[in-house]
Amino acid sequence: MIEPPPSAPPFTAAEAQPRPQFDGRRAWLIAAMIVTFMLINYADKAVLGLAAVPIMDELGISNSTYGVISSSFALLFSLSGLLAGFASARISSRVMLFTMAAVWAVAQLPVLIVASVPALVAGRILLGAAEGPAASMSMHALYKWFPEDRRGLPSALQISGAALGMLVAAPVVTWLITAFGWRSAFAALAVTSTVWSLAWWRVGHDGPYGRPRGPATGAHTPTGARTSADASSAPADTSSASVPHGRLPYRRLLLNGTVLGSIAAAFGASWALSLSHAWLPVYLRTQLDMTPGGAATLISGISAFSLALLLSVPPLLDVLRRRGFSQRWSNGAPQGVAVAAAGLAMAAFPFIDARGAHLVLLAMAFGGHAIAFPLHYMTTSAVVPPLQRGAVFGIVAAIGTLPGLIAPYLTGHFLDSAASQSAGYTHAFLVSAAVMLVCGLVALAAIRPERDAQRVGTAAGESRTPRPAASA
């Protein structure tokens, strides 16, 4: 229980609302729905890359044009995620996730009606706009059903939806493309999204831990005061005790080293992820001469590697935190090292001829960065007041996912401008490696949550005049 600050009038037992009773059966049903939601989300993202070779052959499009199509997915992705973060306080998670999944289904239709470059671009732009808020809003919905002391496993499962999505989607989508043509994969995903949205509308009501908590009489909770029920609806984060509960200028929050380093980690990891979705299937087919099934199996293997990292490394880092390690070394350094190591692997594998070593480095390059995604949220949350976390998460995600707009097109340009496709891929991988290495080193050097939380708290105290106790 978090006690109100001394300046806040205490609540009596009669005024405070009781802590909601945890409904495990319903909560885990919601968790299963959200994991499925994330699985569909990443299958939607991956379908274009898995179908790239037959699409390019049938429509006669160049690598650069395909890169534009792939990058168009990110045109509204970051903006929609940012706007949804601010809107989530007014719109229920039930409505938001239902609308997103329904739009995913609609986004698959243009290419089924007219198979053309404009139809592909229109569908990807619409899909990106609807998928931008998916990760943050589904986590928001999940937290409404789990109290803070029960969120670890469901959070890990939600974050693992990316790897699980590729693990399941790659072989299934590839089978559909091979057996029934590439259009069948888009149609199947449209049907799947529709079915999920209808099921979610039936069961996906908002849980008790997302409701505003305050006096039972309906009176407004005094600024800065938190009841035990308030604490139960907030994400667990004991590291933010030194961060003020009021509002601070966003410039101050976004320009401290920990947030900038967290953005850098997300940017480097997203570069590898967007390159994987857009070009890894094409690379495996055209450069390593893999069959569609062989490429799908390898992509599933890389996804399984990412999933294993996501489900094993964060719990080990929690052990380090409990043993007294600072957040810099238990959460900050691991994400920087992961992104930098993946970048080094990205730089090395084009020059390795041995098949086994090549595939190991390839898996490290496209899967080893995975732990940066959950960890960069944790380090950001350590230096941001609770009232502003949703908005800051949206801003961090908007900047961190910009590689989806850059990396696919840039790779297509390299392929068309190089002397050979092999040289073009090498150039693209080296540029990607440089970006990831720099991002990883920035994260490693800049993320210092304890130091920056202290600085934010000191700056807040100096810049704001304390209010009288009656209004605090």
Side-chain angles (χ1 to χ4, degrees), residues 2-27:
I2 302 177
E3 299 290 347
S7 60
F11 291 115
T12 65
E15 288 178 319
Q17 291 183 354
R19 178 186 175 97
Q21 184 175 358
F22 176 61
D23 183 350
R25 182 175 180 181
R26 186 65 180 272

Side-chain angles (χ1 to χ4, degrees), residues 246-271:
R247 293 184 179 274
L248 297 172
Y250 282 100
R251 177 180 57 82
R252 182 179 300 159
L253 294 176
L254 295 171
L255 295 182
N256 72 74
T258 293
V259 172
L260 292 175
S262 299
I263 291 173
F267 193 94
S270 294
W271 192 287

Side-chain angles (χ1 to χ4, degrees), residues 337-349:
V337 170
V339 173
L344 292 174
M346 183 83 72
F349 78 75

Side-chain angles (χ1 to χ4, degrees), residues 159 261-270 306 309-310 313-314 317 331-340 342 367-380 396 439-440 443 447:
I159 292 168
S262 299
I263 291 173
F267 193 94
S270 294
S306 296
L309 289 177
L310 286 167
V313 174
L317 298 180
N331 291 335
Q335 62 186 286
V337 170
V339 173
H369 62 272
I371 63 169
F373 290 113
L375 295 182
H376 88 273
Y377 280 113
M378 295 174 66
T379 48
T380 297
V396 170
C439 287
I447 296 176

